[in-house]
Amino acid sequence: MAETHERSPSVIDRYYTRWYKTDMKGRSCEDHCILQHSNRICIITLAESHPILQQGRKIKSIDYRISDGCSRLNNKVSGKSKRGGQFLTEFAPLCRIMCTDDTEYTIFSCIRGRLLEVNEDILKRPDLLLEKPSTDGYIAVILPKLEESKTITKDLLTREQYEDVVSKRSTQPQESL
Amino acid sequence: MMLSLKDKDRPVIRKLLAAGCCGRCILRFCCVGKYSSYQQSCEDIHKALLAFLSEDDGEQSHDASGEAEMGDPPCKKMKLDSPQPSSGENASAEGVSEPKAQSGVCVACVGVLQHFCDQSYAKQVSEVVRKGEYQFDSLMLAVSLPAQLSVREHSCWLHIKKEVKEKSMCLDKEDMVQVKDAFKWAVQGLVGKELGASVLTNSAFEVSVGFAHPETDGDCHFLATECPDCFKPTKNKASVFTRMAVVKALEKISDTKFLRHYPCPPVSPSSQCTPLETTCLRASVFIAGRYNKFSRELPQTPWVIDGERRMEGSVEELIANPLLSAFKADGFNFCSSGREDVDVRTLGNGRPFAIELLNPHRAKFNKAEMRQLQETINTSSDKIRVRDLQIVTREATSRMKVGEEEKTKSYSALIWTQKPITPADLDFLENIKELKIDQKTPLRVLHRRPLAIRQRLIHSMSTSYLDTHHFTLQLRTQAGTYIKEFVHGDFGRTKPNLGALMETEVDILELDVESVDVDWPPAVPE
């Protein structure tokens, strides 16, 4: 009895579908994972293969101010219809993450939709992003348009396709530089 | 025959007869408030009016002095004026009124009070009501009239305004009897007798009749150009010329403006109005009770996504279907004190609910019958169980929602922990009292609720250890607390959460509602 605790399906397994965007904007290994709830809400997270999550990396800073005029921190939504939220397209940047080795990464929306919230907890505790990248260390919550909720994922990879891409990377080491 | 007319009504009667008004409309304009006057046949009323006018010919000389009625102060002006118009109009009234009233359609009511106040119309209406197979012992009659009747009424009023004011300065258009009321006085007794029901001004059973008169629909149109602000188009109205809008416009328009656009008296219509379909509506019946839900695969309400059903059955359907067929109702609205997820059971005393049954054809059930009905629901499915089933008032159902947020709810949850645990690892939870938590709107409902942070209270917790990775958590919380999110944390959006308290990842495998502490509806003794 005590040994029968193989993990049953997790919250993500039960209610979300995992979608992936690999090599975002042609940048090698910058993989994003989009968790889509059955109610169409999407949570943007780092895929486990993202360079930031690789052995030993540390985060120096996270910045949701993506330009002088625009900060994701200013995003506010009101009412059931979430009026006022910034509308994002696939390549809209969500935040920039600087690692301690001074490499900077941009995290993108990956899907079209209205920004509902960004995760401010990772500003105070950047380690959350490293420790729980697919739950408490999420980047943002986006609500796709109702009529687009089925089509926004058509250019994304399924979990299976993603695993395929990642395993090919390791068997065929990339020509560096 | 007594028509309750006064001598001063004679000039009014003469003018209206000449204008082509029917007998009942003339009684209306003479402010006759005696129901029985309207219950005579059209012909009898007409004859009685002519007889009343001819009485005057013999007694005319006595009248002026002999009719000092109560509340009618003698009026000098009238004494001077009356001989002239009355003698002048007498002649025309005699010559014109009879053929007009007999053959023509009434200029004021376009036939409503001429052709639809008799036994045969009452029978026609009653027949439709009987076909509906309603259970009732009283009824109220509702009448819908074409809006242009108000325009015609106004024109008639202006036609006789002078004569009425001479009768008494205090009388005004509002003192005239309305077509609607005259119609009811004339016909509702006949309908009631036909159906063996008493007719009340307020009854839960409403019989609606109505009339249309397309020929004169254009009567209202000039008002739209004169008072455009009274006729704003609205989404769900077929025409802007609603009765309310027309009445409002008529209150605003000056007499001269009205007379410039509309004939006074109104033009005689060539056809009579046509009756609309008779409809019946029984006021909603409200049923309350408490339900248990024993299944983790049963939604509270039908679960439909993109028009497709995700799961068979629902709590509300299992309860409502037997009620719908017993009360022979057209539909229902289900409402409850909170709700539970598909995979959550509701145990204990159950969750209070109320169902509004729309247009029930049967409405009277005694306690024994209600108990029987409850039994029918309970034997129809083992997924739910109902208790305290009873008929309540609409007002009482609001008590279910009062203080919903302040109420306490008790839950029992099966918890999985990532780290292995011992019973001692759970002890600290029992010591936590009145824990304040901040919950962002859970992601699972965020698509249909506003984003907000709500503070909720976990009053107390207790635990039962199961094995190294499982235990049962009993919670008493403020209503409105999202339990699943308190356990798994919802991506860190509920703070603190059980995982944070226990410093390990935790998940909720099963959840039961143990009690909903709302003391309504009252318990029904078995």
Side-chain angles (χ1 to χ4, degrees):
Chain A
M1 166 106 187
E3 303 311 317
T4 60
H5 19 92
E6 251 172 52
R7 170 106 220 233
S8 50
S10 68
V11 170
I12 294 174
D13 297 331
R14 293 201 298 268
Y15 305 113
Y16 295 82
T17 308
R18 294 177 172 88
W19 297 97
Y20 294 87
K21 182 85 182 173
T22 51
D23 305 316
M24 185 66 190
K25 277 202 145 184
R27 299 172 194 181
S28 170
C29 299
E30 293 192 19
D31 306 334
H32 291 53
C33 174
I34 299 96
L35 303 172
Q36 187 174 34
H37 195 278
S38 53
N39 68 12
R40 89 175 188 269
I41 278 180
C42 290
I43 301 165
I44 312 303
T45 67
L46 296 186
E48 56 257 51
S49 52
H50 195 284
I52 294 175
L53 301 179
Q54 304 319 306
Q55 279 300 311
R57 303 295 292 263
K58 281 275 170 206
I59 291 170
K60 190 165 152 190
S61 67
I62 300 173
D63 201 343
Y64 280 109
R65 290 166 299 174
I66 44 112
S67 70
D68 287 344
C70 182
S71 169
R72 303 302 181 202
L73 294 171
N74 295 334
N75 191 70
K76 283 223 164 58
V77 293
S78 68
K80 281 184 194 169
S81 55
K82 317 293 184 297
R83 284 179 307 275
Q86 300 171 6
F87 194 84
L88 307 175
T89 56
E90 294 91 316
F91 297 112
L94 290 171
C95 66
R96 299 187 212 287
I97 300 175
M98 177 83 85
C99 289
T100 44
D101 58 7
D102 280 346
T103 45
E104 193 190 64
Y105 299 90
T106 303
I107 312 302
F108 294 93
S109 166
C110 302
I111 51 155
R112 286 166 53 78
R114 196 182 290 277
L115 182 62
L116 299 191
E117 65 180 51
V118 296
N119 186 2
E120 296 188 30
D121 289 352
I122 57 174
L123 299 178
K124 282 164 259 159
R125 291 181 51 202
D127 283 353
L128 267 182
L129 191 59
L130 304 177
E131 291 159 13
K132 299 177 174 179
S134 60
T135 56
D136 293 21
Y138 71 98
I139 304 293
V141 179
I142 294 174
L143 179 65
K145 286 183 178 173
L146 186 59
E147 62 273 23
E148 293 180 352
S149 60
K150 290 270 153 55
T151 54
I152 41 138
T153 52
K154 74 177 194 302
D155 294 329
L156 303 177
L157 304 182
T158 62
R159 174 77 191 176
E160 208 176 15
Q161 292 168 324
Y162 163 74
E163 283 174 352
D164 205 37
V165 168
V166 172
S167 73
K168 276 181 185 149
R169 270 184 204 152
S170 52
T171 54
Q172 305 171 338
Q174 293 152 337
E175 302 132 53
S176 50
L177 302 169
Chain B
M1 173 174 65
M2 279 299 294
L3 287 181
S4 311
L5 290 164
K6 296 171 185 166
D7 288 329
K8 284 182 190 169
D9 287 322
R10 285 197 178 91
V12 175
I13 297 168
R14 283 193 191 97
K15 260 195 129 166
L16 290 174
L17 274 174
C21 269
C22 73
R24 289 197 181 90
C25 280
I26 292 173
L27 297 183
R28 292 196 300 114
F29 285 113
C30 293
C31 309
V32 173
K34 203 167 132 191
Y35 294 10
S36 61
S37 302
Y38 294 84
Q39 289 163 0
Q40 341 242 358
S41 76
C42 254
E43 294 72 26
D44 287 350
I45 295 171
H46 189 72
K47 272 184 213 152
L49 285 171
L50 292 180
F52 177 69
L53 289 181
S54 61
E55 261 171 47
D56 185 37
D57 297 337
E59 299 169 36
Q60 204 170 8
S61 53
H62 311 286
D63 266 358
S65 55
E67 65 166 338
E69 302 258 352
M70 294 271 274
D72 274 350
C75 175
K76 284 178 200 160
K77 193 170 165 243
M78 199 207 95
K79 273 185 186 167
L80 292 171
D81 286 353
S82 64
Q84 291 157 329
S86 60
S87 59
E89 270 172 29
N90 239 350
S92 69
E94 234 104 281
V96 184
S97 67
E98 195 148 4
K100 244 194 181 169
Q102 293 303 81
S103 62
V105 177
C106 173
V107 293
C109 69
V110 298
V112 172
L113 299 179
Q114 277 174 305
H115 304 285
F116 300 98
C117 291
D118 55 358
Q119 190 70 38
S120 89
Y121 183 66
K123 276 211 164 95
Q124 204 179 312
V125 170
S126 305
E127 197 48 45
V128 176
V129 175
R130 269 196 287 269
K131 277 206 182 110
E133 295 184 331
Y134 285 86
Q135 182 190 53
F136 61 96
D137 36 40
S138 74
L139 65 89
M140 63 197 247
L141 192 63
V143 195
S144 139
L145 298 170
Q148 61 267 31
L149 286 201
S150 301
V151 177
R152 294 186 156 257
E153 187 90 348
H154 194 67
S155 166
C156 290
W157 158 248
L158 294 179
H159 187 56
I160 53 161
K161 194 172 174 181
K162 188 175 139 253
E163 285 75 9
V164 172
K165 291 291 181 193
E166 277 167 4
K167 191 177 141 191
S168 160
M169 283 311 284
C170 316
L171 285 174
D172 219 326
K173 189 181 163 193
E174 289 70 44
D175 300 307
M176 312 289 118
V177 174
Q178 305 241 317
V179 179
K180 209 169 255 195
D181 293 321
F183 175 81
K184 286 184 193 171
W185 296 345
V187 87
Q188 66 184 12
L190 298 175
V191 173
K193 204 182 267 176
E194 195 68 40
L195 292 168
S198 52
V199 184
L200 309 174
T201 49
N202 207 346
S203 162
F205 183 55
E206 183 183 78
V207 176
S208 299
V209 302
F211 299 94
H213 196 242
E215 183 195 334
T216 56
D217 277 345
D219 283 0
C220 305
H221 294 179
F222 78 95
L223 289 171
T225 42
E226 290 304 312
C227 310
D229 48 327
C230 292
F231 300 96
K232 299 255 167 66
T234 50
K235 270 182 203 156
N236 37 12
K237 287 265 156 39
S239 162
V240 293
F241 297 103
T242 60
R243 207 187 64 84
M244 290 301 283
V246 168
V247 167
K248 211 173 140 200
L250 289 170
E251 277 167 16
K252 285 180 117 183
I253 197 167
S254 71
D255 290 357
T256 26
K257 245 189 194 167
F258 181 89
L259 292 171
R260 204 180 302 147
H261 291 96
Y262 197 83
C264 176
V267 174
S268 290
S270 58
S271 62
Q272 70 189 45
C273 60
T274 49
L276 300 172
E277 202 187 338
T278 298
T279 56
C280 302
L281 184 67
R282 174 70 171 71
S284 297
V285 166
F286 291 81
I287 311 279
R290 288 186 175 78
Y291 72 81
N292 290 127
K293 171 168 153 342
F294 301 120
S295 168
R296 298 195 190 281
E297 282 153 4
L298 183 70
Q300 194 206 38
T301 52
W303 192 9
V304 179
I305 295 177
D306 297 335
E308 251 179 76
R309 218 175 162 123
R310 286 287 292 267
M311 234 174 226
E312 261 327 295
S314 67
V315 172
E316 64 163 44
E317 287 166 290
L318 288 173
I319 298 174
N321 287 341
L323 295 177
L324 279 179
S325 57
F327 284 77
K328 296 187 169 69
D330 290 351
F332 70 90
N333 292 315
F334 183 89
C335 168
S336 64
S337 180
R339 53 186 300 157
E340 65 281 304
D341 288 350
V342 171
D343 55 357
V344 173
R345 299 188 300 175
T346 297
L347 310 174
N349 250 340
R351 185 186 295 280
F353 69 90
I355 292 181
E356 175 181 13
L357 296 170
L358 304 167
N359 196 14
H361 293 220
R362 234 202 110 184
K364 274 195 181 164
F365 284 78
N366 62 29
K367 283 190 176 144
E369 289 171 312
M370 288 307 289
R371 206 174 304 126
Q372 184 53 49
L373 212 42
Q374 177 171 300
E375 201 47 40
T376 307
I377 295 169
N378 288 340
T379 48
S380 73
S381 169
D382 51 12
K383 292 178 178 171
I384 59 148
R385 188 175 170 79
V386 165
R387 62 164 63 74
D388 302 333
L389 197 72
Q390 56 195 289
I391 296 179
V392 297
T393 62
R394 178 193 289 273
E395 293 68 39
T397 60
S398 63
R399 291 176 47 193
M400 195 170 61
K401 296 280 177 187
V402 170
E404 210 175 40
E405 294 281 291
E406 290 77 49
K407 297 288 177 181
T408 297
K409 297 201 180 184
S410 304
Y411 299 89
S412 171
L414 176 60
I415 308 294
W416 168 88
T417 65
Q418 188 192 32
K419 273 196 324 209
I421 48 164
T422 64
D425 292 329
L426 304 175
D427 290 345
F428 80 104
L429 290 171
E430 317 230 347
N431 298 326
I432 298 175
K433 301 289 174 216
E434 305 301 327
L435 174 68
K436 277 185 190 154
I437 61 167
D438 290 315
Q439 290 202 301
K440 278 192 188 152
T441 307
L443 292 166
R444 70 184 154 97
V445 299
L446 187 57
H447 61 301
R448 55 183 162 85
R449 304 243 168 94
L451 177 61
I453 301 177
R454 297 179 185 83
Q455 194 169 75
R456 292 287 183 258
L457 280 176
I458 310 283
H459 298 306
S460 63
M461 292 183 273
S462 63
T463 58
S464 315
Y465 179 84
L466 295 174
D467 63 45
T468 48
H469 288 275
H470 297 92
F471 69 99
T472 309
L473 177 70
Q474 284 91 35
L475 309 99
R476 282 183 59 253
T477 74
Q478 183 182 359
T481 308
Y482 291 101
I483 304 303
K484 288 176 177 174
E485 281 70 17
F486 168 67
V487 174
H488 62 60
D490 197 27
F491 293 74
R493 297 168 75 261
T494 287
K495 280 183 241 176
N497 53 61
L498 186 65
L501 294 173
M502 296 186 68
E503 296 175 332
T504 177
E505 188 189 340
V506 298
D507 198 357
I508 180 163
L509 306 182
E510 285 178 0
L511 179 62
D512 293 330
V513 178
E514 296 287 354
S515 81
V516 182
D517 299 338
V518 173
D519 53 9
W520 188 89
V524 174
E526 291 295 319

